[in-house]
Amino acid sequence: MIPSVLPDLARAEALVAERGIALGKPLHLLAETTSTNDEAKRGAKAGAPNGALWVAESQTAGRGRQGRGWVSPRGENLLFSVLVRIACAPARLPPLALVAGLAARDAVARAVPRRDVRIKWPNDVVVDGKKIAGVLVEATLQGSLVEALVVGIGINVHTREFPEDIAARATSIALAADGSDPPDRAEVLADVLTGLDRDLGLVAARGLGLVHARLTNADALRREGVTSEAGAGVAEGIDLEGRLLVRNEGGILARWGAGEVHLGRATTAPRS
Ligand code: BTN
């Protein structure tokens, strides 16, 4: 009989305890759910503590940013959401979402040390331009303040064949590892939690400054031509509010706050 949660993932609870990571407790390991973000949001409402974690082998309604879905074959990848009880102003949300991307990026980079792993703003993790992980941060508000974050992360670990519509732009740790075996999914999960644990509180309290150099080093868009609904130009980095800096053809520096960004130069005249 196939176990509902595979042994490499079942190690996660022990690993979180062994490494003394504050996030990841209690850990709910699920064979299937609609979306781990749904589980964490329900948990948030029901009073689950800071650090509570939901990990699933399969999602029936996994979701991504911009209303997209997130599809992952059962038992192959990492699908999880952690509840972080941080009180902060909504303006801190974009920086915190970037930090979540950085934690996922660092964990993937550790799993594939010979590859150049980068962040495509705001928080896609990419290897050679192909997406290996995605982050969906959802916030719970109390009045006008954020009281909790649900940080949902999907990391492609073992998948080697992707559906035709995304095959050209998706990859996994197994594919990027150049023949070596991927680490246990629990190891990758523990690495992400360690990064979140270290940086989320810091950035909520003091802003992006302390992680900004790391973000800049990992920025996949820096000096690249980019387009979005906001216009087109050349990306010049990320500001301390988490916005993408884009210099348009007229030389004006714009700050893009949200939306989907594509690599490549505009075919039409950019708007300033
Ligand atoms: C994106 O790249 O658009 C974000 C993808 C986020 C997917 C993860 S998988 C675990 C968690 N549960 C979800 O439904 N979504 C996030």
Side-chain angles (χ1 to χ4, degrees):
M1 198 179 95
I2 300 172
S4 54
V5 174
L6 297 173
D8 73 317
L9 202 51
R11 276 188 62 220
E13 191 165 10
L15 204 54
V16 165
E18 204 176 285
R19 291 211 200 163
I21 308 167
L23 299 178
K25 291 176 269 199
L27 192 158
H28 307 272
L29 268 183
L30 310 165
E32 182 170 290
T33 179
T34 52
S35 152
T36 55
N37 269 37
D38 291 343
E39 297 281 352
K41 282 166 95 174
R42 269 197 297 276
K45 275 201 193 118
N50 177 52
L53 175 68
W54 289 261
V55 188
E57 286 287 21
S58 162
Q59 297 184 129
T60 55
R63 57 179 185 273
R65 294 174 52 249
Q66 314 274 325
R68 286 184 303 251
W70 186 263
V71 178
S72 171
R74 175 185 306 277
E76 294 190 3
N77 300 317
L78 265 174
L79 307 164
F80 64 94
S81 303
V82 60
L83 175 65
V84 185
R85 292 202 178 273
I86 281 180
C88 64
R92 281 283 197 251
L93 286 173
L96 291 170
L98 290 176
V99 166
L102 192 57
R105 180 263 159 210
D106 289 351
V108 171
R110 199 160 176 216
V112 290
R114 292 200 292 269
R115 305 304 296 264
D116 186 18
V117 185
R118 294 186 167 259
I119 296 174
K120 176 174 171 275
W121 183 89
N123 48 26
D124 286 353
V125 181
V126 296
V127 176
D128 288 338
K130 291 187 171 190
K131 184 158 167 175
I132 200 164
V135 177
L136 175 66
V137 175
E138 297 181 301
T140 311
L141 298 177
Q142 173 86 53
S144 61
L145 277 188
V146 173
E147 61 147 16
L149 297 180
V150 167
V151 179
I153 301 184
I155 302 180
N156 298 331
V157 181
H158 290 291
T159 296
R160 287 178 178 273
E161 283 181 20
F162 290 91
E164 209 178 300
D165 55 327
I166 57 165
R169 17 188 200 102
T171 191
S172 65
I173 290 176
L175 289 172
D178 294 328
S180 29
D181 285 338
D184 278 3
R185 287 178 296 165
E187 297 274 353
V188 181
L189 172 61
D191 284 346
V192 180
L193 294 173
T194 302
L196 294 174
D197 200 10
R198 187 189 52 223
D199 293 334
L200 279 176
L202 205 66
V203 168
R206 296 168 62 185
L208 263 187
L210 290 171
V211 301
H212 194 259
R214 286 166 54 214
L215 262 181
T216 300
N217 281 337
D219 183 354
L221 299 181
R222 202 169 152 80
R223 301 194 190 94
E224 299 286 344
V226 290
T227 60
S228 85
E229 280 181 355
V234 174
E236 290 197 355
I238 296 164
D239 74 7
L240 289 174
E241 274 73 52
R243 296 169 299 196
L244 187 67
L245 295 167
V246 181
R247 177 93 48 196
N248 73 17
E249 281 174 14
I252 293 169
L253 192 64
R255 292 166 195 267
W256 292 357
E260 188 66 10
V261 176
H262 304 281
L263 270 165
R265 289 187 180 279
T267 50
T268 56
R271 284 186 276 136
S272 59

